[in-house]
Amino acid sequence: MKPRILIVYTGGTIGMIEDPVSKALKPFDFSHLMENVPKVKMLDYHIDNIQFNPPIDSSDMDIRHWQSIVKSIADNYDRYDGFVVLHGTDTMAYTASALSFMLGNLSKPVIITGSQLPIGEVRTDGEENLITALQIAADRDRYGNPTVREVAILFENYLWRGNRSTKRSADNFNAFKSNNYPELAKIGLGIYFKPAALRKIDDVRPLTPYYDLDASVMSIDLFPGLEERVFRHQLATPGIKGIVLRTYGAGNGPTKPWFIDAVREAVDRGVVILNVTQCVNGSVHSSRYMGADYLASAGVISGHDITFEAAMTKMMYLFGLGLDVNEVKRLLAEPLVGELTVKSPK
Ligand code: ASP
């Protein structure tokens, strides 16, 4: 039986061509993309595709696009062995995170990839990324089960867990990294999977797609010099239910009374505040320093080692479920689909 793979083409550099007048890159259609990768035929897979019309630069990605990717996968879930999502790199980590929450009970591979250079360019990384993504989506373990049973990003030499990934370079072919979780596979002469890192599924259940995301969320970045009037203004943004507070180091913020008071008042008004560190690597440790301890005492939830992308989309997902504030807080602090690791308090 040939592996059956569905490609969902959303756009991104991989399928772009140069505008003859402005010379800027713009998204182009799927047939152009496939014409440039004749080698795909050598894989001997059954491949179908669904494409965004029109394909987009991923800077335009929005909740309705995520809903449409989820629908494409959910409507075709039983008919394919795996799914490859072609996507621009700019918001790929957000999409990967969002899909990991929206595709409930996922037990098949959803591999997201794209490229830094368009597929039509001589030195493109798109051809290799597309072919490797297809191979990963088709891969089976020795029991005949899909090797990857989660949303993952394949880029150049690595396969990363989607909701642990971050775009780290605008220039390099190795554009993604998971700073707090090991790679799911290393790509070299072969595809070397890391079984210890891959998500395990004990009991396969029907896919449950969640479409309702609530975008009443925002983020606030701490920086030395942040003034009370600015901070209070941000906290009082109308209609906001959740805030990702990007703190220093191990989750620290100023210990000044006005700062803690402003945070506590927002929490008392029912705003959920999630503490996520600005450091690319490491975790929030709420009891290591006073600055983080004060935030925890004011009712701020620790995001542990979650990425910013996963934190924002997890909040949208939890509020979209219509849960009450305490339930949202409880679920934010624990891993739902491998997006964070709770470490010891110190
Ligand atoms: N701006 C492009 C996008 O995200 C960049 C890329 O694909 O690499 O769609």
Side-chain angles (χ1 to χ4, degrees):
M1 283 279 278
K2 286 186 185 187
R4 296 175 60 84
I5 310 292
L6 180 67
I7 298 179
V8 181
Y9 171 55
T10 70
T13 298
I14 191 164
M16 288 188 185
I17 55 165
E18 216 176 73
D19 183 279
V21 183
S22 71
K23 302 288 178 210
L25 290 172
K26 59 174 191 189
F28 205 59
D29 76 4
F30 187 74
S31 54
H32 152 82
L33 197 150
M34 293 312 267
E35 276 158 24
N36 279 281
V37 203
K39 276 191 204 153
V40 164
K41 293 198 186 73
M42 290 166 68
L43 291 174
D44 198 25
Y45 296 168
H46 176 97
I47 299 175
D48 291 318
N49 73 84
I50 292 179
Q51 61 169 309
F52 273 21
N53 191 10
I56 60 167
D57 184 301
S58 78
S59 318
D60 277 322
M61 195 54 63
D62 212 335
I63 287 178
R64 72 186 168 86
H65 297 115
W66 292 339
Q67 290 164 335
S68 129
I69 301 171
V70 168
K71 186 157 171 31
S72 300
I73 293 172
D75 287 353
N76 293 288
Y77 193 67
D78 296 331
R79 277 184 280 143
Y80 292 91
D81 300 309
F83 302 84
V84 169
V85 179
L86 298 180
H87 195 290
T89 57
D90 289 346
T91 59
M92 190 182 282
Y94 291 89
T95 297
S97 300
L99 295 188
S100 76
F101 300 116
M102 295 170 82
L103 294 167
N105 298 332
L106 180 69
S107 60
K108 292 186 178 183
V110 173
I111 312 300
I112 312 184
T113 195
S115 68
Q116 294 280 51
L117 284 177
I119 203 95
E121 291 211 9
V122 187
R123 291 184 55 255
T124 185
D125 50 331
E127 178 174 28
E128 211 175 285
N129 284 348
L130 173 57
I131 289 177
T132 310
L134 287 165
Q135 288 182 315
I136 291 172
D139 203 86
R140 305 229 139 214
D141 65 18
R142 59 196 161 115
Y143 306 107
N145 295 317
T147 307
V148 177
R149 312 185 90 169
E150 58 185 301
V151 180
I153 289 183
L154 176 276
F155 225 84
E156 191 72 1
N157 298 120
Y158 297 95
L159 182 73
W160 304 109
R161 173 165 293 167
N163 56 29
R164 292 285 196 154
S165 310
T166 297
K167 182 172 179 181
R168 65 157 167 186
S169 173
D171 300 324
N172 291 334
F173 283 154
N174 267 312
F176 286 85
K177 182 140 202 260
S178 166
N179 292 298
N180 284 324
Y181 196 77
E183 68 267 16
L184 305 183
K186 177 105 176 61
I187 322 299
L189 292 183
I191 299 171
Y192 306 105
F193 290 102
K194 306 286 165 87
L198 288 163
R199 192 164 160 74
K200 319 261 176 315
I201 307 283
D202 300 328
D203 110 67
V204 174
R205 284 186 256 151
L207 186 80
T208 310
Y210 296 100
Y211 292 101
D212 295 329
L213 296 191
D214 187 338
S216 313
V217 297
M218 64 182 281
S219 67
I220 299 179
D221 265 85
L222 294 187
F223 59 93
L226 175 63
E227 289 188 3
E228 179 174 2
R229 68 188 165 91
V230 175
F231 188 54
R232 282 190 177 276
H233 183 77
Q234 290 174 311
L235 290 173
T237 304
I240 286 299
K241 296 181 183 166
I243 297 174
V244 172
L245 184 64
R246 302 193 66 229
T247 56
Y248 309 126
N252 304 310
T255 54
K256 300 175 189 98
W258 69 256
F259 178 79
I260 301 299
D261 287 348
V263 169
R264 187 176 292 110
E265 285 163 30
V267 171
D268 290 347
R269 286 198 304 273
V271 178
V272 175
I273 305 184
L274 184 65
N275 188 345
V276 175
T277 175
Q278 292 172 11
C279 292
V280 291
N281 169 248
S283 183
V284 168
H285 298 277
S286 297
S287 49
R288 190 183 284 172
Y289 294 96
M290 229 144 76
D293 210 19
Y294 282 2
L295 284 174
S297 318
V300 172
I301 307 301
S302 170
H304 301 280
D305 61 353
I306 198 168
T307 62
F308 176 68
E309 296 88 334
M312 293 297 285
T313 52
K314 185 175 180 180
M315 273 203 174
M316 292 184 198
Y317 162 72
L318 292 177
F319 285 118
L321 292 177
L323 304 173
D324 74 54
V325 167
N326 288 330
E327 194 59 4
V328 170
K329 287 183 182 172
R330 187 180 71 77
L331 294 173
L332 277 174
E334 58 185 61
L336 303 182
V337 277
E339 75 280 12
L340 61 84
T341 307
V342 179
K343 302 235 169 68
S344 62
K346 286 286 170 184

